[in-house]
Amino acid sequence: MTKKITTSKFNVGDIVTISSDYKDFATLNITQSKIQVYPVWAINNDGTITLADVWADVPAQYIEGVPIHSELAKLIYYDTVHVRHYEPGKVYLQEDIYSRPPFMVTMAERLRNTPLGEEMQNEEFHYVHELQHWLIEHIGYSRIRINQFWGMKNL
């Protein structure tokens, strides 16, 4: 396996979390308090990062990657709905967002027996944003999303 160097460099669209140390002393107005992962909206020149659903910008040193094999990663899914082909007049059932498998399981299934899937297995991703960067580099998009309704039902 390739030894992957982890990075704290984030890009717009990366899924991240806020350091618990910062959350403990900062007064953050978070729109959905049960969701603890956020997409990066902007990286500001003043050393802060703007996150979706967090009203105040957060100093970059308090932004952390989401470990792939963590409880926080359960808030994340791999979006496959866009692949569904719709036919006029056909009725589709709404997707049950609570039955989505972990994003790494879905990705492994989608990429099974492909050269890209084999290459992905040889990488050592520690954080979700590292995987996002890799996917964007190799296929042009990541389609890794935050399940916005996670806090409404115990998983």
Side-chain angles (χ1 to χ4, degrees):
M1 292 197 169
T2 307
K3 181 71 173 170
K4 187 117 178 135
I5 299 172
T6 59
T7 179
S8 61
K9 182 178 179 234
F10 301 110
N11 298 328
V12 171
D14 286 354
I15 296 174
V16 299
T17 190
I18 302 171
S19 163
S20 59
D21 294 342
Y22 187 74
K23 280 185 180 179
D24 291 344
F25 77 82
T27 306
L28 296 176
N29 188 358
I30 300 173
T31 59
Q32 295 187 44
S33 60
K34 291 189 182 222
I35 296 174
Q36 298 171 15
V37 293
Y38 316 93
V40 172
W41 269 4
I43 299 170
N44 308 311
N45 292 333
D46 64 356
T48 62
I49 293 180
T50 304
L51 302 175
D53 297 327
V54 179
W55 290 101
D57 292 341
V58 179
Q61 68 264 28
Y62 296 109
I63 301 297
E64 299 177 345
V66 177
I68 285 182
H69 303 292
S70 68
E71 283 297 309
L72 288 177
K74 291 181 180 178
L75 300 168
I76 300 167
Y77 70 99
Y78 184 67
D79 184 8
T80 59
V81 175
H82 69 281
V83 178
R84 183 183 301 161
H85 299 285
Y86 290 96
E87 298 173 23
K90 187 172 181 179
V91 177
Y92 292 90
L93 297 176
Q94 186 174 1
E95 179 188 19
D96 178 7
I97 62 172
Y98 302 111
S99 64
R100 290 178 177 151
F103 72 97
M104 290 299 287
V105 171
T106 305
M107 290 183 63
E109 182 179 306
R110 289 280 177 170
L111 298 174
R112 182 181 23 193
N113 299 326
T114 67
L116 189 63
E118 290 173 18
E119 190 175 336
M120 189 178 86
Q121 287 179 350
N122 292 329
E123 295 289 332
E124 286 186 37
F125 301 109
H126 300 283
Y127 297 98
V128 173
H129 73 278
E130 292 173 337
L131 177 59
Q132 287 180 285
H133 294 183
W134 186 87
L135 287 167
I136 289 167
E137 179 183 325
H138 286 80
I139 59 176
Y141 52 85
S142 76
R143 294 204 173 109
I144 295 176
R145 310 272 191 255
I146 297 171
N147 189 348
Q148 295 294 325
F149 302 99
W150 181 83
M152 302 172 90
K153 180 177 178 181
N154 293 327
L155 294 177

